[in-house]
Amino acid sequence: MMTKRIGWLAAASVALLAAVAVLIGGHAVHAAPAAALQALVLNDDATTQWAMHSTKGRTNSHQRVHYHGHSLVRLTPARAADLPALHQLLLDLNIDVWSALRGQVDVRAADAHVLKQALDRYLPGVRARTLVADVEKQLLEPHWHAIDERVAVKSVAAQLHDPKSWFAEYHHLDEIYEWYQLLAAAHKDRITLMRNVGTTHEGRELMALRFTNHSSTNVTLPKKQVYVQGGIHAREWIAHATTQYIAYHLATSDDQTITSLLDEVEIVLVPIVNPDGYAYSWTGDRLWRKNRRADARGVFGVDLNRNYPSHWGEAGASKFRFSDTYMGPSPGSEPEVQALMALFDSLPRVVAALDLHAFSQAILHPPSWTLTDTVHEPQLKAMGDAMSQIIKSVHGKDYVSERLVDLYPHSATGTDWWYDQSRPLDNLAGKRGVDAMNMSARKTVFRPYSFTIELRPSQEDTWQTGGSGFILDKREIIPVGEEILPAFLYYARTALDNVLIE
Ligand SMILES: *[C@@H]1O[C@H](CO)[C@@H](O)[C@H](O)[C@H]1NC(C)=O
Ligand SMILES: *[C@@H]1O[C@H](CO)[C@@H](O)[C@H](O)[C@H]1NC(C)=O
Ligand SMILES: *[C@@H]1O[C@H](CO)[C@@H](O)[C@H](O)[C@H]1NC(C)=O
Ligand SMILES: [Zn+2]
């Protein structure tokens, strides 16, 4: 009841907030003192908090967005049973959730004091502890300083076969697109570059790469497919980097695990699902998450991972345009999502699909929107557990294996939508019959194994190092790649040999 009421209040204040935004104009609204905003909105903690977040994204794309006075706060309900109510409250207050795991929710609050007041009022059992007092000072100032100091000493071409150099840095969009094109051109025996898979709001190209050994023999044809994408959320830079790491090794490695996989399978990789958002995270707002959908009043963006037509809007997604989890005007409304769905539809034999995100260190499988397990819960859980063990064996990092819903209920994710796509088992029947399928088992369809991996850092590591979250040190790119690549190869191989049939 209570959270409903707040939701209604927030809704009622939309018009007022629009007026506030106009008054303040298109400047870096984050810098506006909280008191000024408080005076302009309803005298309600909840809507005030909402208001202070509501103006994100209204800056032009070359102006850096600042987060002066914002803090990161860890929220811990005394009772696990309060967790759903906490998540609903955070959604209604339009609070930016950074990480949620093991009953701890780390959020960015424009004003920690106001947040604590709202909690006292609506959910008094929740403990709030400030982890980072000033996001601007502690996280963003060092980040922008490093960006300003960054000099491209070597051309992309010069680094193509120098992974130590390439993976020592995060790269901006143009560099990454150039790198993928050069990689594909240098490894035509393994890579087909798929241009213009789609076009974004701002007119950027979505590209994909198809990896396989075109001359492999003695394999079942047509080849099964594995799908992997990264970068749906702009600020999760390690996801973009890890996707590159996987691509680089698929392209260049002579390791038998990889060559035998490429003999038998096609791996379709979408390197940057949200290029508009990623470009903006380099020039404007380092903490930008969504795409760059705009209207006459400015850019607001849609959370692409709340926009797939799979239980759209049913849980953990916002109806408010300025929310970081805005679900969009309708299911599959976004050109990026439409393009990814069309690409997926054009791949009739996908046995495994993977979405790379950050952060928290978790390996997550469907469902996201309901507490009811899928019929494949044992297989999915076992797959996640095995990947987690592989990851741990590399550098000792713990990745939690659980359902997406166990983070918090949310909906309309790519991972759920892929799992929804059941295909006739006949699609896998090639020239050599039905492969190793046991047709007498009366199974008629298969689905992809579907996973989201949240990469480093963990909640603990990030605060022990003084706070990093999405701004993971570039020296971690290679170690993350080293732990994720073998887990990915295991994933692809196991899915190939144990198709998820139903
Ligand atoms: C592709 O398969 C052919 C035939 O089996 C093999 O000779 C070749 O080495 C493979 N290429 C790669 C890059 O693995
Ligand atoms: C083809 O593959 C099968 C099973 O992996 C193997 O037993 C057989 O020796 C292979 N044949 C050739 C010609 O490589
Ligand atoms: C095929 O499936 C049936 C029914 O589930 C089972 O009894 C049989 O042992 C299976 N055969 C093989 C070769 O897996
Ligand atoms: Zn994400």
Side-chain angles (χ1 to χ4, degrees):
M1 281 318 282
M2 186 147 285
T3 54
K4 269 226 162 60
R5 194 176 79 80
I6 298 164
W8 180 85
L9 276 174
S13 61
V14 167
L16 179 59
L17 290 165
V20 170
V22 169
L23 277 175
I24 296 171
H27 302 295
V29 180
H30 285 98
L37 278 167
Q38 276 171 22
L40 286 166
V41 298
L42 296 175
N43 185 20
D44 179 278
D45 295 342
T47 47
T48 301
Q49 185 67 17
W50 192 83
M52 286 188 292
H53 287 261
S54 67
T55 41
K56 265 190 87 177
R58 284 182 175 275
T59 53
N60 80 49
S61 59
H62 301 296
Q63 202 175 358
R64 282 183 186 168
V65 173
H66 298 290
Y67 288 83
H68 295 292
H70 288 226
S71 41
L72 292 182
V73 184
R74 171 160 298 170
L75 307 175
T76 318
R79 305 177 313 140
D82 284 342
L83 212 48
L86 174 60
H87 278 290
Q88 187 60 46
L89 183 70
L90 295 171
L91 194 65
D92 289 336
L93 300 183
N94 198 21
I95 300 278
D96 180 15
V97 174
W98 280 29
S99 174
L101 211 62
R102 301 187 184 97
Q104 299 184 140
V105 188
D106 296 345
V107 305
R108 173 180 57 80
D111 184 330
H113 183 66
V114 173
L115 172 62
K116 285 170 187 172
Q117 278 180 346
L119 288 168
D120 282 347
R121 184 160 160 190
Y122 297 112
L123 277 177
V126 175
R127 196 155 48 88
R129 182 160 68 89
T130 300
L131 300 166
V132 173
D134 189 335
V135 169
E136 183 68 26
K137 258 204 183 61
Q138 284 170 255
L139 300 188
L140 293 171
E141 271 176 19
H143 166 72
W144 288 123
H145 181 73
I147 294 289
D148 290 337
E149 297 287 293
R150 186 179 184 273
V151 276
V153 278
K154 278 186 180 175
S155 70
V156 173
Q159 294 180 79
L160 189 62
H161 290 293
D162 185 357
K164 277 207 177 70
S165 166
W166 179 255
F167 292 112
E169 296 281 347
Y170 293 103
H171 297 277
H172 60 68
L173 185 69
D174 296 343
E175 288 174 335
I176 296 174
Y177 269 10
E178 185 185 351
W179 183 84
Y180 275 111
Q181 287 173 50
L182 293 172
L183 190 71
H187 299 280
K188 287 206 174 69
D189 54 334
R190 295 193 192 185
I191 303 177
T192 310
L193 188 61
M194 303 164 76
R195 301 297 304 262
N196 291 308
V197 163
T199 308
T200 66
H201 279 293
E202 293 180 347
R204 290 194 178 83
E205 172 186 358
L206 289 178
M207 68 165 69
L209 293 88
R210 189 189 293 252
F211 296 81
T212 196
N213 182 348
H214 297 294
S215 46
S216 53
T217 50
N218 194 22
V219 295
T220 307
L221 295 172
K223 290 180 178 180
K224 291 173 191 157
Q225 293 155 330
V226 170
Y227 177 91
V228 53
Q229 70 177 34
I232 197 167
H233 290 144
R235 62 192 179 183
E236 300 168 3
W237 287 12
I238 188 63
H240 306 73
T242 304
T243 311
Q244 290 158 45
Y245 191 94
I246 291 172
Y248 180 78
H249 287 84
L250 293 179
T252 61
S253 173
D254 290 323
D255 187 302
Q256 202 247 332
T257 315
I258 288 177
T259 55
S260 73
L261 199 56
L262 293 178
D263 280 342
E264 293 176 54
V265 72
E266 284 176 4
I267 298 173
V268 175
L269 178 143
V270 183
I272 302 188
V273 165
N274 177 14
D276 291 353
Y278 186 63
Y280 181 59
S281 75
W282 274 78
T283 56
D285 185 349
R286 177 62 183 83
L287 300 179
W288 186 258
R289 169 180 166 100
K290 302 182 285 181
N291 77 352
R292 295 289 290 163
R293 176 185 272 266
D295 68 8
R297 286 183 296 166
V299 176
F300 47 94
V302 171
D303 184 347
L304 297 174
N305 208 35
R306 299 289 182 277
N307 188 245
Y308 279 79
S310 173
H311 302 277
W312 181 80
E314 286 181 26
S318 178
K319 292 189 280 295
F320 298 116
R321 297 187 314 162
F322 295 110
S323 167
D324 283 299
T325 55
Y326 176 50
M327 63 196 193
S330 59
S333 58
E334 298 313 289
E336 295 89 348
V337 169
Q338 286 165 16
L340 296 170
M341 288 167 58
L343 174 62
F344 199 89
D345 285 343
S346 76
L347 306 170
R349 298 178 300 279
V350 177
V351 295
L354 176 65
D355 200 7
L356 291 169
H357 288 250
F359 62 94
S360 290
Q361 293 180 196
I363 303 178
L364 305 164
H365 60 270
S368 64
W369 56 280
T370 173
L371 291 166
T372 307
D373 285 342
T374 70
V375 296
H376 294 115
E377 175 62 19
Q379 293 98 317
L380 295 171
K381 177 74 167 100
M383 179 76 95
D385 290 354
M387 282 195 272
S388 172
Q389 277 174 20
I390 290 167
I391 290 170
K392 190 175 171 86
S393 74
V394 179
H395 293 298
K397 293 292 182 188
D398 285 307
Y399 281 57
V400 171
S401 162
E402 62 183 19
R403 301 172 304 173
L404 286 154
V405 69
D406 297 323
L407 290 187
Y408 48 87
H410 55 297
S411 56
T413 64
T415 305
D416 267 345
W417 185 81
W418 300 326
Y419 178 75
D420 290 346
Q421 310 309 304
S422 63
R423 271 90 180 261
L425 210 38
D426 287 347
N427 287 10
L428 302 180
K431 294 191 180 87
R432 291 150 155 264
V434 192
D435 201 359
M437 291 296 130
N438 182 346
M439 294 305 281
S440 71
R442 282 181 290 127
K443 310 282 190 189
T444 56
V445 299
F446 72 99
R447 294 172 189 272
Y449 289 83
S450 297
F451 278 84
T452 289
I453 297 186
E454 298 280 358
L455 300 167
R456 293 189 196 182
S458 68
Q459 282 184 326
E460 292 321 314
D461 288 346
T462 187
W463 312 127
Q464 276 162 16
T465 56
S468 60
F470 300 109
I471 306 174
L472 184 68
D473 193 301
K474 61 190 181 184
R475 282 168 300 190
E476 302 220 29
I477 295 171
I478 289 176
V480 171
E482 287 169 344
E483 67 197 14
I484 296 303
L485 179 66
F488 169 73
L489 297 174
Y490 170 87
Y491 180 52
R493 166 54 64 190
T494 306
L496 205 58
D497 294 343
N498 305 275
V499 174
L500 210 51
I501 50 181
E502 187 180 332

